[in-house]
Amino acid sequence: MTAVTSNATDQVDVVLIGGGIMSATLGTLIQQLEPTWTIRLYERLDDVALESSNPWNNAGTGHAALCELNYTPERKDGSIDISKAVKINEQFEISREYWHHLLAQGALTSTDFLQRTPHMTFVRGEKNVDFLRRRHETLSAHPLFKDMEFSADRGTLADWAPLLVEGRDEAEPVAATRNTAGTDVNFGALTHQLVASMTARGADVRLQHEVKSIRRARSGGWKIKVKDRSWNAPERTHTVTARFVFVGAGGGALPLLQSAGIPEIKGFGGFPISGEFLRTSNPELVARHQAKVYGKADVGAPPMSVPHLDTRVVDGQSYLMFGPYAGFSPKFLKKGKYLGLVTSLRLDNLTSMLGAGIKNIDLTQYLVGELVSRPETKFATLQAFYPEAQPKDWEKITAGQRVQVIKRDKDGKGVLEFGTEVVAAADGSIAGLLGASPGASTAVSAMVELLGRCFPAQADAWRPRLAQMMPSLSGGVPADTGALDEPLADAHGLVVNSEAYGA
């Protein structure tokens, strides 16, 4: 990717802040819909996809709700609510349809970012086994989950994922579900392809440029003050005017939206949560575990901390990764400033922050407990998944920063908002995305929603084009995205039959 550094113009149609999967997705969508619009992307670091979109800073899954228990809560009457799982699965399929369209166009040059990885849910104990069985019965009755398998047989589980069974107490009840149509997605590699496509179509991508403030322009639109962080910058700061601004800066989105002064951001707060993972590249272990396996979160733990043992493929090499373990840093970005949390506090969000803290004492206790846990205690969490795990095989890595969204509830008090949230000005001239999981996996549907909210005057004209790219959006026959999977191989190099990914 070649970064454009020309200062030929200080006025553009669209400014994208942050070089992650969200900005890259929105930028390519706008180019598809309005190819004459000028687009400029600002990224404060040396390259795109170095924060939350980096493969080692996120869980890397194509979240299709095939394995995450927090998307299928149990109701008081014992029934299983699958509505959120269905929605997320549909949203991920929209992402796949869009990627398929870009691949057919040549905007994506390979499917190296996508790997076949079965998605599993693994539980222990009679009560959890019973829940998983009922969850499977409910999910598998829906067409989107009809291929999901369930087993409480140790021999079957050993075939699916032997590390989960070997060395485990024979008296312990265990069970798992499996869906072989799962994927592992390197969103960093995907972001690089999307940004390269944007640049080839005329977008102005400026690395090492940090947006310092956003203000209303008297003539309409927004004035964005930008600092050039490169060592040989001809000018340290410049100002650009844009008709539309998207803040896709991950944890940095909240303070930038606050600087814009839009009423819609009032009451929103954020609490940064760091994380750690254990990783191994031991070829013997990697060869014996080909799955993304989610477990059940501890009582009081946030959804983003659900333990999982995953196959990861990054730059052609396979790894296993386990976690996350909660950590704390006051930064809003992994490579951000230590005063991120402090500088985000406002009079309008203090009530929200305090209210959410009071309502979630158990979460606070969980985070404190995680921070003071001894290394051997943390490693025991991995051994609950993989009983024969040995510390010598694993290294600790620090994940990306997540900012837990806090907003006002109906009573004006604070509430934690799990998931992602689009915040847009009433006139649609600026918008940003807050939150984390399922995040990247649903980037396409999130950005399509954002386009509808911010550009209502163009919505009717864009609808046929969007339906052509993503038929599911208009209730049409889902696109056959099998072309995404034709070159797709699993982590061991075996070419996989793509029929499981049919419409």
Side-chain angles (χ1 to χ4, degrees):
M1 181 189 68
T2 302
V4 179
T5 57
S6 169
N7 282 303
T9 178
D10 61 357
Q11 186 167 357
V12 295
D13 294 312
V14 176
V15 161
L16 306 172
I17 303 174
I21 186 64
M22 295 296 175
S23 290
T25 299
L26 181 59
T28 57
L29 276 168
I30 290 175
Q31 286 183 325
Q32 295 281 326
L33 298 168
E34 297 289 348
T36 63
W37 287 9
T38 53
I39 299 175
R40 186 178 297 173
L41 183 150
Y42 290 110
E43 167 55 51
R44 63 187 292 270
L45 301 178
D46 298 342
D47 198 1
V48 298
L50 290 181
E51 282 281 352
S52 295
S53 298
N54 181 273
W56 294 123
N57 286 344
N58 60 60
T61 182
H63 275 289
L66 301 174
C67 55
E68 303 91 340
L69 289 175
N70 53 299
Y71 296 150
T72 53
E74 184 175 13
R75 300 186 182 98
K76 291 182 180 180
D77 64 1
S79 62
I80 311 298
D81 181 0
I82 66 169
S83 57
K84 187 171 184 178
V86 170
K87 180 180 179 180
I88 290 174
N89 189 281
E90 290 173 341
Q91 289 174 327
F92 183 61
E93 285 306 306
I94 288 172
S95 291
R96 287 181 53 85
E97 287 184 333
Y98 184 58
W99 300 339
H100 169 71
H101 169 78
L102 295 179
L103 185 67
Q105 269 200 339
L108 289 180
T109 56
S110 78
T111 58
D112 291 347
F113 64 90
L114 192 66
Q115 301 290 332
R116 171 66 59 80
T117 306
H119 283 198
M120 295 178 57
T121 306
F122 176 70
V123 298
R124 300 173 293 122
E126 290 184 7
K127 183 178 179 180
N128 291 331
V129 169
D130 175 67
F131 168 76
L132 191 65
R133 181 181 287 107
R134 290 183 288 114
R135 175 181 180 269
H136 171 258
E137 290 173 355
T138 306
L139 276 175
S140 60
H142 192 283
L144 292 175
F145 301 92
K146 60 183 176 61
D147 296 324
M148 182 177 286
E149 305 169 84
F150 169 87
S151 181
D153 176 72
R154 284 179 177 251
T156 301
L157 300 187
D159 289 338
W160 290 355
L163 300 188
L164 302 179
V165 178
E166 293 174 358
R168 188 172 298 281
D169 184 351
E170 291 287 341
E172 182 180 36
V174 292
T177 56
R178 181 179 73 155
N179 195 311
T180 58
T183 55
D184 174 63
V185 183
N186 182 336
F187 285 105
L190 175 58
T191 299
H192 275 91
Q193 285 200 51
L194 293 174
V195 173
S197 173
M198 286 172 54
T199 305
R201 290 172 177 249
D204 182 351
V205 177
R206 302 195 179 188
L207 306 177
Q208 296 184 318
H209 281 69
E210 180 178 8
V211 172
K212 304 298 291 185
S213 65
I214 307 171
R215 297 284 187 269
R216 286 274 188 189
R218 291 181 180 179
S219 57
W222 295 90
K223 293 182 69 174
I224 302 118
K225 184 179 180 181
V226 185
K227 179 181 179 180
D228 188 339
R229 294 162 53 93
S230 60
W231 69 272
N232 60 345
E235 294 181 276
R236 274 298 154 199
T237 62
H238 72 272
T239 301
V240 60
T241 302
R243 293 194 299 115
F244 172 74
V245 178
F246 172 66
V247 186
L254 175 61
L256 285 173
L257 289 169
Q258 288 175 328
S259 82
I262 58 174
E264 291 78 9
I265 197 63
K266 290 184 177 179
F268 276 91
F271 187 81
I273 298 177
S274 183
E276 297 175 344
F277 284 90
L278 295 176
R279 179 178 67 185
T280 181
S281 59
N282 183 323
E284 294 182 7
L285 298 181
V286 173
R288 302 190 68 232
H289 185 84
Q290 173 60 21
K292 178 177 289 291
V293 184
Y294 269 63
K296 187 173 182 180
D298 293 333
V299 175
M304 67 180 69
S305 69
V306 174
H308 45 97
L309 178 62
D310 302 347
T311 298
R312 296 301 314 275
V313 181
V314 178
D315 298 331
Q317 183 173 349
S318 297
Y319 304 81
L320 298 184
M321 184 172 77
F322 178 80
Y325 299 97
F328 175 74
S329 167
K331 296 179 179 181
F332 271 17
L333 292 165
K334 186 175 181 179
K335 298 183 180 181
K337 298 177 181 178
Y338 282 99
L339 293 177
L341 174 59
V342 174
T343 56
S344 74
L345 297 176
R346 301 284 191 279
L347 289 176
D348 62 74
N349 66 16
L350 278 176
T351 302
S352 303
M353 298 281 284
L354 292 172
I358 293 171
K359 290 180 181 178
N360 293 274
I361 296 296
D362 55 346
L363 173 57
T364 303
Q365 292 173 335
Y366 166 80
L367 291 174
V368 172
E370 282 280 286
L371 291 173
V372 301
S373 292
R374 296 162 57 183
E376 53 267 35
T377 302
K378 292 184 176 181
F379 198 79
T381 309
L382 169 58
Q383 291 174 322
F385 263 70
Y386 168 28
E388 296 186 346
Q390 299 296 320
K392 64 181 177 63
D393 294 319
W394 299 82
E395 61 176 336
K396 183 177 71 174
I397 62 173
T398 301
Q401 283 290 99
R402 299 291 183 268
V403 176
Q404 178 62 59
V405 178
I406 298 170
K407 67 177 185 178
R408 291 174 182 163
D409 59 15
K410 295 179 181 179
D411 299 325
K413 299 178 181 179
V415 61
L416 295 179
E417 179 69 17
F418 295 106
T420 52
E421 175 118 3
V422 173
V423 179
D427 65 358
S429 62
I430 185 171
L433 195 75
L434 306 177
S437 181
S441 300
T442 60
V444 177
S445 60
M447 293 302 97
V448 169
E449 175 195 344
L450 183 146
L451 286 172
R453 290 177 59 179
C454 295
F455 299 96
Q458 287 88 354
D460 288 341
W462 288 350
R463 194 168 290 113
R465 179 64 175 146
L466 288 170
Q468 181 185 13
M469 293 186 283
M470 296 157 281
S472 295
L473 282 176
S474 61
V477 177
D480 181 0
T481 60
L484 276 177
D485 310 305
E486 288 174 2
L488 190 61
D490 68 15
H492 308 304
L494 301 176
V495 176
V496 180
N497 188 327
S498 64
E499 290 181 0
Y501 274 113

